[in-house]
Amino acid sequence: MARERTGVRALRAVLAAVLGVTLAGALAGCSATGGKRAEDARKSAAAQGRAAVDTPRWTFAMVTHSGDGDTFWDIVQNGAKQAAVKDNINFLYAHSDEGQQQAQLVDSYVDKKVDGLIVTLAKPDAMKAAVARAVKAGIPVITVNSGAQQSKAFGALTHIGQDETIAGEAVGDELDERGRKKALCVLHEQGNVGHEQRCGGVKKTFGGQVQNLYVDGTNMPDVQASIEAKLQTDPSIDSVVTLGAPFADAAVQAKKSAGSKAEIDTFDLNAKVAAGLKSEQLGFAVDQQPYLQGYEAVDLLWLYRYNADVLGGGRPVLTGPQIITAKDAGALAAFTERGTR
């Protein structure tokens, strides 16, 4: 019964929001000509950094498990901010790599009565109660990036991201195609269920051996030293898989210092990774399209508040994985430089 009451409150909030939309906006697409003019106006507005809709200026907040300096989340934010401009949204962002602090940030936005929440569930146990409070308050929630398995149970509308196990399986298949025999999977955040799923997926499909290496992702010199020590003590390692773009360069440096011939591969893409692929310092990267995760999360919250739309039919909306190699890097260079891939 509690779940039904929460749904009724959410639906009432949506209906109230819809009633707030101006009649002029609703009539803009009534004819073929009018629809084309409205679409042209939307495109022009977006290009000029102005809202492309006349819906109320709702406030959406995103709270992620990012640590400081992780370029991946810069790309997610770029997507979210672009969608926010288009959809006339006041966009707020906060982050903490500590689960309890992330939950407290969610609580603070619930207290502020935001109109929508976007959260990550890298540490779902720490986040469960905070998400439940948001849902109980009638705030629509979308999960992104991590927590696909928990998203629906926690009351979120949908999840946007890649299935981390499937992504890991794709890496295992790629390592097999490259003839690799022993891989080191570098986990840079303790307790992140998505990281465990990635390395678990690699083990599931890779015909060779996989060893997990846990490092402190907030200390890049430590990351490099740990990988270097492992490569020095075990020359049979012929592939190093890092779970985030910023850590790929540390692995490259560790390889050089250790005198290793191991191939360096990574999850996620940024400008430096694209350059590394092009120069063949890196073998391949797994792109989960973080820009798309941020953009779609804001856009889908807007669609829900405006039109009660929910994408995915109860299943996660997948943004990856896509295996990127040297042949793809050149075409993506311009996008990585502007911070959208």
Side-chain angles (χ1 to χ4, degrees), residues 42-91:
R42 282 193 290 270
K43 289 179 180 178
S44 176
Q48 297 173 37
R50 294 185 289 108
V53 296
D54 58 359
T55 46
R57 189 163 175 76
W58 294 309
T59 295
F60 296 164
M62 175 183 284
V63 185
T64 75
H65 63 277
S66 169
D68 293 331
D70 190 336
T71 57
F72 176 91
W73 294 103
D74 294 337
I75 302 172
V76 174
Q77 287 186 76
N78 287 343
K81 289 174 181 176
Q82 183 62 44
V85 169
K86 177 179 69 72
D87 294 338
N88 192 33
I89 298 301
N90 177 34
F91 176 72

Side-chain angles (χ1 to χ4, degrees), residues 144-197:
V144 298
N145 182 260
S146 54
Q149 287 75 17
Q150 296 83 9
S151 179
K152 187 175 181 180
F154 282 16
L157 299 176
T158 193
H159 177 82
I160 303 170
Q162 71 179 3
D163 184 298
E164 303 293 15
T165 298
I166 291 174
E169 291 172 358
V171 170
D173 289 337
E174 185 70 18
L175 292 174
D176 278 337
E177 287 187 18
R178 291 166 176 264
R180 302 295 159 179
K181 302 299 180 185
K182 192 170 187 178
L184 186 68
C185 198
V186 183
L187 298 92
H188 61 266
E189 184 181 340
Q190 293 278 359
N192 187 321
V193 294
H195 289 184
E196 298 288 348
Q197 290 165 353

